[in-house]
Amino acid sequence: MAATTGDELMDTLTQQIKARAVELGFDLVGVAPISNAPNADAFEDWLAHGYEGEMAYMARNVEKRRHPGHVLSGARSLVAVALNYKQPDDELLVDSPIHGRVAQYARGIDYHDLMNDRLDSLLISIKELADIPVRGKVYVDTGPVLERDFAVLAGLGWYGKHTNLINRNMGSWFLIGEILIDLELTYDKKATDHCGTCTRCIEACPTDAITEPYVVDARRCISYLTIELKGAIPEQLRTGLGNHVFGCDDCQDVCPWNRRAPEAQEPAFKATHITDHPSLVKLLRLTTEDFRANFKGSPIKRTKRRGLLRNVAIALGNSNDTEVVQPLIGALDDEEPLVRQHAAWALGRLRTQEAHCALNQAKAGEEDPDVLDQINLAISEYP
Ligand code: B12
Ligand code: SF4
Ligand code: SF4
């Protein structure tokens, strides 16, 4: 009988790791060798343009993002996994301006804990399967790793022009996580680009955030504006938000590779009553306690109540529906200046007599300078 070679052992171990990842519920798994991140220069150009906005953490640890060897010394391989979060189609949400739109990944439970726990289990399995000591590190989203660069190398998908990774069979509705290990494995082939001459995502972006193919200016992206930005949303971008209240999927919705994308098997991503067609007026009336109770374990808690209600006020201002004037007038008394400020903007857009009176009344009692400025601007919208 022929002796088993080192390569055969590596192949077997790689296959066992992949089988375990699928058992743990991941939809895709691939393995890449550790190297310099192929698009590190593009990443630094992006920073040089200031496209990260207030996400200061993106400009930290640039060396680590350039090479995962700085994250785990002696790292040899990166096991990349993907989890499908595709929810049923929601054309209705687009057509109903008094209902908010929540990005598909954020309608159920936060994926970070879910994927981290599974990757921790996968790392334990890798340590058991290898007959030598293995060091490893698990990351989902928040680590200093250019995740998409390595997921491309691991064959999970290619960079779409909207910068999300696309897989031929699954489209782009998946989240990425990875394990760095100091063990050599058998590597997958790099995914190849299949965007061709298509530019649908670039044309569909409501705020022109895709400045050129493969480059997103986060400061213009609705996902950044509604989730990451803590203060006021720049006025010139507010109408572009439409009824998006948390994240945005517009560039993915129009992508031809998503036409036949399979729905997620993972029940944790299913919408709850408050993320499925949420009534904007109902959201605007959430108290701090309601917010906590409704968004425990949800990605939406990231914005805090004031961030979500800021987004909701803008969406109401974009609704063109005068029925929402009363609730917005109520929000002029909100305890949070950020909410009052955006409610004033919305009332300036809806232009009813009632809204005009309420703005004048609020002006008399308002002390916050930013809110006062916005009230004055809103009043100036009236003839
Ligand atoms: C910062 C960040 C954001 C920012 C900035 C987005 C961005 N495009 O960079 C904001 C808040 C806007 C954001 C939004 C979203 N995000 Co985000 N985000 C990240 C994070 C933390 C870092 C991304 C990053 O490094 N950006 C820096 C820029 C330079 O990288 P990049 O845009 O990918 O650019 C690369 C390519 O363009 C590449 N490139 C390839 N070919 C070419 C060719 C040329 C010519 C050039 C110039 C460049 C180039 O080079 C660049 C450097 O790597 C990652 C997690 C992680 N640690 O990687 C998640 C991540 C990218 N986000 C994710 C998701 C799901 C989203 C949203 C869909 C959420 C939503 N529905 O609202 C949107 C999508 C918006 C979009 N069109 O990108 C997923 C993507 C999964 C996937 N299938 O690709 C990730 C991987 C999180 C995860 N762990 O699953 N995100
Ligand atoms: S919409 Fe077209 S250009 Fe954009 S990611 Fe999809 S295939 Fe690529
Ligand atoms: S997520 Fe929305 S705003 Fe951001 S690039 Fe895509 S379409 Fe534009």
Side-chain angles (χ1 to χ4, degrees):
M1 205 166 84
T4 317
T5 66
D7 280 357
E8 280 168 356
L9 282 174
M10 222 155 62
D11 281 352
T12 309
L13 179 59
T14 307
Q15 290 317 318
Q16 286 171 327
I17 293 171
K18 288 183 173 176
R20 180 75 185 120
V22 171
E23 237 172 65
L24 284 164
F26 292 116
D27 296 281
L28 300 172
V29 52
V31 187
I34 295 296
S35 63
N36 281 317
N39 290 303
D41 288 345
F43 169 63
E44 289 202 36
D45 275 358
W46 185 80
L47 289 176
H49 279 92
Y51 286 162
E52 80 281 15
E54 288 182 7
M55 297 181 292
Y57 61 88
M58 290 300 297
R60 282 183 222 127
N61 299 316
V62 172
E63 275 317 299
K64 289 185 178 170
R65 281 184 211 268
R66 271 200 167 270
H67 197 295
H70 295 297
V71 177
L72 177 76
S73 67
R76 307 280 294 276
S77 306
L78 183 146
V79 179
V81 295
L83 187 61
N84 180 349
Y85 62 87
K86 171 84 181 82
Q87 296 302 300
D89 285 334
D90 57 10
E91 282 122 38
L92 226 131
L93 292 178
V94 185
D95 294 336
S96 172
I98 55 159
H99 290 94
R101 273 203 280 171
V102 173
Q104 296 205 23
Y105 85 89
R107 294 181 192 163
I109 284 169
D110 196 316
Y111 67 93
H112 295 91
D113 293 345
L114 185 92
M115 290 181 72
N116 266 309
D117 288 352
R118 288 184 190 177
L119 285 173
D120 284 343
S121 303
L122 183 58
L123 180 56
I124 292 171
S125 298
I126 295 174
K127 289 180 176 178
E128 286 165 1
L129 289 165
D131 57 2
I132 50 168
V134 178
R135 289 183 306 119
K137 264 196 168 168
V138 162
Y139 286 110
V140 178
D141 191 44
T142 53
V145 179
L146 287 176
E147 293 187 326
R148 297 193 261 199
D149 264 24
F150 287 93
V152 174
L153 291 183
L156 261 49
W158 74 93
Y159 273 106
K161 289 178 190 168
H162 49 33
T163 78
N164 294 295
L165 285 206
I166 308 174
N167 175 276
R168 284 185 85 103
N169 302 315
M170 219 164 69
S172 62
W173 306 110
F174 59 88
L175 298 156
I176 299 167
E178 61 276 339
I179 308 182
L180 302 174
I181 43 173
D182 62 349
L183 188 71
E184 205 176 328
L185 293 171
T186 308
Y187 302 119
D188 285 282
K189 271 208 200 100
K190 180 182 172 207
T192 47
D193 192 320
H194 298 281
C195 278
T197 55
C198 173
T199 50
R200 277 162 170 254
C201 52
I202 300 174
E203 285 141 25
C205 177
T207 49
D208 297 325
I210 309 173
T211 55
E212 57 183 287
Y214 313 103
V215 180
V216 168
D217 178 352
R219 297 168 307 178
R220 300 188 67 84
C221 176
I222 295 170
S223 184
Y224 168 84
L225 295 167
T226 56
I227 305 173
E228 303 297 330
L229 185 70
K230 301 296 167 241
I233 293 184
E235 278 212 55
Q236 72 278 16
L237 296 173
R238 290 181 193 166
T239 50
L241 256 62
N243 59 345
H244 290 289
V245 293
F246 191 93
C248 170
D249 290 328
D250 288 5
C251 50
Q252 299 188 83
D253 280 333
V254 298
C255 178
W257 288 98
N258 278 340
R259 252 182 234 146
R260 281 182 294 277
E263 281 178 20
Q265 297 298 308
E266 175 53 63
F269 292 124
K270 281 207 183 339
T272 65
H273 72 99
I274 197 88
T275 58
D276 189 11
H277 287 76
S279 143
L280 290 171
V281 168
K282 195 170 152 192
L283 291 178
L284 192 69
R285 291 187 170 136
L286 290 177
T287 63
T288 306
E289 291 70 40
D290 297 336
F291 181 85
R292 272 201 209 114
N294 277 294
F295 298 118
K296 191 168 178 274
S298 150
I300 297 179
K301 68 177 184 304
R302 184 167 173 80
T303 59
K304 305 210 167 64
R305 173 184 175 273
R306 63 173 170 274
L308 180 68
L309 267 60
R310 166 199 65 184
N311 304 340
V312 168
I314 292 181
L316 285 167
N318 290 334
S319 70
N320 215 7
D321 185 335
T322 51
E323 295 280 308
V324 306
V325 163
Q326 260 311 322
L328 279 168
I329 291 175
L332 287 177
D333 282 331
D334 197 274
E335 61 191 10
E336 291 287 351
L338 192 66
V339 178
R340 301 203 294 278
Q341 183 183 357
H342 289 77
W345 175 82
L347 289 168
R349 291 207 75 206
L350 293 168
R351 290 197 224 166
T352 67
Q353 197 47 45
E354 198 189 4
H356 194 194
C357 288
L359 284 164
N360 277 307
Q361 252 176 25
K363 180 178 172 175
E366 183 58 62
E367 286 178 356
D368 184 286
D370 293 333
V371 184
L372 257 180
D373 280 353
Q374 189 73 68
I375 291 177
N376 283 324
L377 267 171
I379 290 172
S380 71
E381 297 287 336
Y382 287 82

